[in-house]
Amino acid sequence: MNNELTGKAVVPAQHRGELPPGFHDMLDDLKSIVRGAHVRAQLKVNTEMLQMYWQIGRAILERQGGEKWGTKVVDRIATELRTEFPNQRGFSRSNLHYMQQMARTWPDSIVQQAVGQLPWGHITTLMDKCKTRFELDFYAQHAVHHGWSRDRLTTHIRSGLHLAQGAAANNFDVTIPEQSEAATQIFKDPYRLEFTQLSDTAAERELEDALTSRIIQFLTELGFGFAFVGRQYPLTVGDTEFRIDLLFYHFRLHRFVVVELKTTKAHPSHLGQLSFYVTAVDRLLRDPERDDRTLGILIAESQDATTVEFALQSQNQPLAVSTYAGLPPGVRELMPTTDDLSRLAHEVLHGGAGTG
C-alpha cells in the first residue's frame, strides 16, 4: 500500500485575489437562478405527467360508461401500455384504477387545482384515506401550502385536522415553496423520472445532491469544530485521480474526516472504498506531527433503514469497522451521534416527515 500511495494531493486553487469585488455575491445569485429554473422545470414535468394520468382515467371512464367495459378490459389496457412503453412506470392495473378514480373525483382538469401541484404518491394517499371531496380538497390545499411530505400528510389525515380547522382551508393562496418537502419529493418521484425517460443515474445524483447539502449544513452547524474542506475532493494516487464525496477537517480533534455517501444498500465494497480514501488522506494530506489519524464515515441506504457506520483506521489493520461506542471518549463527545446522522439521511433518502 505504501508504494501505491506515492501521489500528490491536488488542492483546488482558489485565486480569490484575482477576482473582482462582488464576484462571489454575483455567483450566489447565478446559482439561485439555476436552482430556481430546475425546480420550475421539475414542477412542470410533474404537472404534465398528472395531466396525462387524468386524461387516461377520463378516457377509460367514458368508454366504461358508454360501452360497459369491465375489469378485464382495463387489465388488457395495462398490459398493452406496459408493452408499448416498457421503460415507463405507472401503467400497472392498480395505477390505472387510481387514474380513473382521480378523473371521477376531479372531473375538471386537475392541473387547475391544488391537487395538481402534488406528487403522484400524495394524490393516491389522498384518494385512499379521504372520504369526502371536502376532505380531499382540504388536505390537498394544506399539503401544497405547507409543503408536507407524504408521511406528514398521512399523519394529519389520521389526526382529523380538517375537523379542527374547518373550511378555512379554502382561503389559501396555493403555491409550492421551492424548498418544501412536497417539492423535494417531486424530484425523487420514480414515476416522474421515467415519464421524462431520465436514467437511474440522474435520480441518484439528485438524491446525492440533496443529501450532500444537508450533511454539509448539519456538520458545520454542530459547533463541534467541523470545517468543510471540499466536495468531490480530488486526490491523485499514482497516475489516477480519485474524488472523495465530502472532506472535512475537525480543528478541535485535529483530524481529517472523510464522508462517503451511498444512496444504495451498504455493500462491503463501499467500506473498501472508504478505507482506501482514509488511507490516502492519511498519507497525502495529514501532517503526522500535528494531525491524528483520519476518521471515515459511511452513510448508506440499506433495505430496511439508513445505515451509518463509523470506520476507524487503526495501527493493526487498515480499517476497523466499529460502532460509535468504539470511538475514544474524547473523540466521541465531539462527533455527531449515529442517531443524528441516521435521522438526517433518512429524511433525505425517504422523504421523512418534517415540520408542517
Side-chain angles (χ1 to χ4, degrees), residues 223-226 249-255 334:
F224 293 152
F226 279 96
Y249 186 81
H250 200 298
F251 56 82
R252 294 181 64 181
L253 294 175
H254 300 287
R255 299 173 184 260
L334 295 176

Side-chain angles (χ1 to χ4, degrees), residues 132-144:
T132 67
R133 174 62 186 268
F134 169 77
E135 291 178 44
L136 285 162
D137 290 340
F138 176 93
Y139 289 108
Q141 290 180 8
H142 270 75
V144 170

Side-chain angles (χ1 to χ4, degrees), residues 289-332:
E289 295 182 0
R290 296 189 306 170
D291 300 328
D292 286 325
R293 286 189 172 274
T294 301
L295 297 179
I297 303 176
L298 172 66
I299 301 179
E301 156 69 319
S302 70
Q303 182 176 357
D304 299 318
T306 303
T307 301
V308 178
E309 293 287 353
F310 283 75
L312 310 177
Q313 188 179 29
S314 68
Q315 296 286 347
N316 298 326
Q317 50 187 137
L319 192 70
V321 178
S322 173
T323 63
Y324 192 67
L327 288 167
V331 175
R332 188 167 62 245

Side-chain angles (χ1 to χ4, degrees), residues 47-287:
T47 299
E48 291 294 331
M49 186 190 74
L50 294 181
Q51 176 71 2
M52 178 190 71
Y53 283 178
W54 182 85
Q55 290 175 335
I56 291 174
R58 185 180 64 172
I60 296 175
L61 285 179
E62 290 175 351
R63 288 284 187 167
Q64 283 181 326
E67 303 180 20
K68 307 301 181 184
W69 280 5
T71 302
K72 290 184 178 180
V73 177
V74 176
D75 292 346
R76 179 61 182 271
I77 293 173
T79 299
E80 293 291 340
L81 289 177
R82 287 199 302 269
T83 301
E84 181 67 21
F85 305 102
N87 296 321
Q88 184 169 336
R89 190 179 309 194
F91 296 135
S92 66
R93 176 180 177 274
S94 60
N95 245 17
L96 286 178
H97 283 292
Y98 275 128
M99 294 175 201
Q100 295 173 73
Q101 185 179 352
M102 178 171 63
R104 188 185 302 114
T105 303
W106 292 279
D108 299 323
S109 178
I110 194 170
V111 300
Q112 304 299 325
Q113 305 177 60
V115 68
Q117 300 181 54
L118 292 172
W120 179 239
H122 283 57
I123 297 174
T124 59
T125 297
L126 287 170
M127 292 188 292
D128 282 340
K129 300 185 180 299
C130 294
K131 299 177 181 179
T132 67
R133 174 62 186 268
F134 169 77
E135 291 178 44
L136 285 162
D137 290 340
F138 176 93
Y139 289 108
Q141 290 180 8
H142 270 75
V144 170
H145 185 77
H146 295 293
W148 288 342
S149 68
R150 184 162 33 161
D151 287 343
R152 175 67 65 173
L153 172 63
T154 301
T155 298
H156 285 310
I157 293 174
R158 288 176 177 171
S159 69
L161 180 66
H162 67 287
L163 299 176
Q165 296 196 8
N170 295 320
N171 297 328
F172 280 144
D173 175 18
V174 177
T175 58
I176 289 187
E178 289 189 355
Q179 300 301 321
S180 74
E181 293 170 346
T184 300
Q185 290 195 346
I186 286 174
F187 273 76
K188 295 186 272 184
D189 190 339
Y191 296 98
R192 191 270 307 160
L193 288 169
E194 291 176 8
F195 177 69
T196 55
Q197 300 183 348
L198 291 178
S199 65
D200 292 339
T201 302
E204 182 168 346
R205 186 166 60 249
E206 289 173 352
L207 286 177
E208 287 179 348
D209 287 344
L211 185 55
T212 296
S213 297
R214 294 288 294 278
I215 292 292
I216 293 172
Q217 180 182 6
F218 177 77
L219 291 179
T220 54
E221 290 179 354
L222 279 179
F224 293 152
F226 279 96
F228 178 57
V229 178
R231 178 184 180 187
Q232 294 296 310
Y233 190 89
L235 288 177
T236 299
V237 179
D239 59 357
T240 304
E241 182 182 86
F242 298 89
R243 289 186 175 270
I244 298 172
D245 283 348
L246 297 173
L247 183 62
F248 294 86
Y249 186 81
H250 200 298
F251 56 82
R252 294 181 64 181
L253 294 175
H254 300 287
R255 299 173 184 260
F256 284 100
V257 180
V258 173
V259 178
E260 276 297 294
L261 308 174
K262 301 297 178 184
T263 57
T264 58
K265 184 178 180 179
H267 188 272
S269 63
H270 298 158
L271 290 175
Q273 181 183 34
L274 180 62
S275 172
F276 175 79
Y277 289 156
V278 166
T279 304
V281 170
D282 261 348
R283 302 286 177 84
L284 302 179
L285 296 181
R286 183 173 73 95
D287 183 344

